[in-house]
Structure formats: structure tokens, C-alpha cells
Amino acid sequence: MHRLTIPALLLLLAGCDTDEVEDRDFKPAPSPATCLVIEEVLVKPTTGPASGWQWVNVYNRCASAMPLGGVALRWTKAGEWTSSLGLAPAKAIPGYGCITIGGSKSSPNNASPTFTMASAFAPQIPAPTSAAAVGVGLFVTSSALPFAAVIFGDENLEGIEGVGGVVALETDIAEVAPGHSMRLYAGRWIDTQFPEPQHCGLY
């Protein structure tokens, strides 16, 4: 009867195929796509037209500052990501920091945001209709697809392309009431009647 000694067993294991090794500590290098998320969006103020009252919060979930050159906020019209606002003027988001984009009007009518980058969305982010959802997304300017987005309304009948080019009939969230915001909470979008433009960090 042959017995394998510990040295012999180690030699046999050394000959095994080790090409596929799982690195459980792997973390992707910081980049806009791995670090930046849309945290909260207000499309309609409590009263009156939306122009000048809209805002979007963007959060950097990485420890290092994230430069914003080459990053844009885009929103849809007729199912296409046609409207765009470059974020380079905001320069960078600190590690675990946020910026608030939009305005430049600020009062209790839109939860009194303090704007990091005061620039009214032109054209304004539209309200969804029964026939058309709306998307707000973050893009690397060289890409046609968002790396972070919220698609809202009844149904995505026009086939707005979401993160990774995925087209889903179901939207992330239905249209919210005037004065309410859409907030990313525990990985899903919720309707909140208490917008918090000054809040920084995912819920």
C-alpha cells in the first residue's frame, strides 16, 4: 500500500492548473463609472413652472476625489439622451462628497438647495407622460450610454437605454408629486416628500 507523504502531496498540488485564481480583495480602480452615482433628483417645485427650480445631487462613493472633466449629466427627450450639461465647471467631487447641480432658484419651493454648480437645465428636464418616460443619467462624454441613471414615469414605452444599454419596460420609479424628490435608497428609487439637497452620502 502506497502512502502519500506531505511533501509528495504538495508536489502534486503544485502541478494543478492555477490559471484561474479568484481575488476576493479585488477593487476596481477609481473612475467616474465606479465612483459616481445620482443620489437625488427634484424635477418639479412645489408650485409653479419647473424652469430654474430643478436640481440633481451627485455623490462620490470613493475615498479619492473624482475629477469631473469628461463627465456630463444628460436627460432624455422623446426617448433619446439628447440634452446635456458638462460637469467640468464643478472641477471635482471630494472623496465621499457631493455636488448639487441645477437652479439657480432656491427657496422652500424646491427644498432650498445650495448649488455647487448653478446652471439651469436647458431645456428643462421634462415631466413624464402616459406615453413617455424620462431619464436622467451620468455619462462619460465619449459614451452614448449612461453609467448611472434613473428612468421615471409609468412605463418605458420609448425604450430609453439605461446603464449598460439595458432597455426595461418597467421604470425605476413612477412620476412623483410636485415638491417631492426621487431618492436612491438602499439601491432602489423612492418617492420622498422631504427632499434633502444638502444630504451627502447614500441612504
Side-chain angles (χ1 to χ4, degrees), residues 36-181:
L36 303 183
V37 294
I38 297 174
E39 178 186 45
E40 193 166 354
V41 180
L42 185 141
V43 174
K44 291 182 178 181
T46 303
T47 61
S51 181
W53 294 101
Q54 300 178 327
W55 52 261
V56 176
N57 269 9
V58 178
Y59 173 60
N60 177 10
R61 58 187 172 184
C62 293
S64 56
M66 183 52 53
L68 294 173
V71 178
L73 184 77
R74 294 178 185 165
W75 54 102
T76 62
K77 182 178 180 181
E80 301 293 334
W81 296 99
T82 53
S83 302
S84 182
L85 178 66
L87 301 188
K91 297 183 179 179
I93 305 180
Y96 305 124
C98 299
I99 60 171
T100 303
I101 310 151
S104 58
K105 299 175 183 178
S106 178
S107 82
N109 198 33
N110 65 346
S112 304
T114 299
F115 293 106
T116 314
M117 180 176 163
S119 179
F121 302 120
Q124 69 186 38
I125 300 171
T129 67
S130 59
V134 175
V136 176
L138 287 172
F139 288 72
V140 174
T141 52
S142 59
S143 175
L145 296 174
F147 61 80
V150 55
I151 297 174
F152 56 100
D154 292 335
E155 291 182 310
N156 185 16
L157 297 175
E158 293 180 308
I160 298 170
E161 292 183 301
V163 175
V166 173
V167 178
L169 179 61
E170 185 176 351
T171 59
D172 296 307
I173 184 172
E175 182 180 14
V176 301
H180 290 211
S181 69

